[in-house]
Amino acid sequence: MTESDQNRFVCAAPFRMSRGDFARKMLRFWGLIPGIVLVTIFISGLAVGLFLDIRYLIVSAMAVFIVLPMVMMFLYYYHGLGKYCYFNIVDHNISIKKDCLEITMYFHEEEVNDCGTEECERNSEKLIRESILSINYRDILNYRVFSDSVIYPVGRPVAGFIWLPLSAFDDIDSFRKAVSLLSSKLNSC
């Protein structure tokens, strides 16, 4: 990255979200209500199955174990692969512009070598392809604070979230400055 690129980004270096944290945040945003419904169905089927007839327990377990994978697949395809959500798990950096939030994603591609030797393969350089995504400030909802990050949900008709971790910043003051700058942009819209 050049010096001018570093000055335009909020964080000093690109960052990414771990897969497990990504799944937990998706479940927290969009899977809470289906999870509560499935747990309620299973517990009521368990209670009725123990006291009345075991078939109720079997039917409720079948409903849960058939519906649960479908809910997880729906969350993954509808939300996780959406363009306002998937960028969190690739290397990216955030720029706060005048009228939009700009996310620059970095995709690493290996250069193709025809030599076929191990030494040649070790010396092959990785090419970096950039992709830029812009999110209008009007689409971003009120932020949610967690112990190690701040998350800005992106509203409908598109759904997603912007993850801003404390670990991506050099110190806590730069993190506070970035959150207050982004919040002031959101409040001015």
Side-chain angles (χ1 to χ4, degrees):
M1 239 183 281
T2 65
E3 184 64 31
S4 63
D5 284 341
Q6 284 190 357
N7 290 336
R8 70 182 182 130
F9 292 122
V10 173
C11 301
F15 59 96
R16 75 168 57 188
M17 186 178 227
S18 68
R19 292 181 196 119
D21 201 22
F22 182 69
R24 283 188 293 277
K25 297 297 189 241
M26 276 188 12
L27 287 174
R28 185 173 195 143
F29 284 124
W30 301 293
L32 196 59
I33 292 173
I36 290 172
V37 169
L38 289 174
V39 166
T40 305
I41 288 171
F42 185 71
I43 290 175
S44 62
L46 177 68
V48 173
L50 290 176
F51 294 116
L52 293 178
D53 192 359
I54 193 73
R55 288 180 284 188
Y56 290 108
L57 173 64
I58 294 169
V59 169
S60 69
M62 285 173 44
V64 167
F65 292 119
I66 290 172
V67 173
L68 181 65
M70 291 190 312
V71 168
M72 291 171 55
M73 191 169 56
F74 173 77
L75 286 176
Y76 180 70
Y77 283 113
Y78 185 72
H79 294 291
L81 292 178
K83 75 176 185 176
Y84 293 107
C85 201
Y86 81 90
F87 68 86
N88 287 302
I89 57 172
V90 298
D91 287 335
H92 67 285
N93 211 332
I94 297 173
S95 303
I96 300 174
K97 301 293 184 183
K98 183 179 179 181
D99 57 346
C100 67
L101 186 69
E102 189 176 274
I103 297 159
T104 305
M105 296 172 278
Y106 304 100
F107 297 98
H108 302 280
E109 300 172 348
E110 285 199 32
E111 185 178 335
V112 178
N113 287 333
D114 293 334
C115 64
T117 64
E118 277 186 41
E119 183 179 325
C120 186
E121 290 176 9
R122 275 184 270 144
N123 293 333
S124 67
E125 295 179 12
K126 289 190 174 186
L127 301 173
I128 297 176
R129 184 175 51 94
E130 291 184 5
S131 179
I132 296 176
L133 175 68
S134 297
I135 302 174
N136 196 331
Y137 290 127
R138 291 183 308 237
D139 295 335
I140 301 173
L141 305 174
N142 291 332
Y143 63 90
R144 298 178 188 177
V145 179
F146 294 93
S147 63
D148 61 345
S149 62
V150 174
I151 291 187
Y152 293 90
V154 179
R156 303 216 184 273
V158 296
F161 61 90
I162 302 158
W163 178 64
L164 202 57
L166 177 62
S167 62
F169 293 88
D170 295 333
D171 57 359
I172 193 139
D173 290 331
S174 59
F175 177 69
R176 286 183 186 146
K177 182 180 171 185
V179 169
S180 65
L181 179 63
L182 186 53
S183 298
S184 67
K185 292 282 188 182
L186 296 176
N187 291 335
S188 67
C189 288

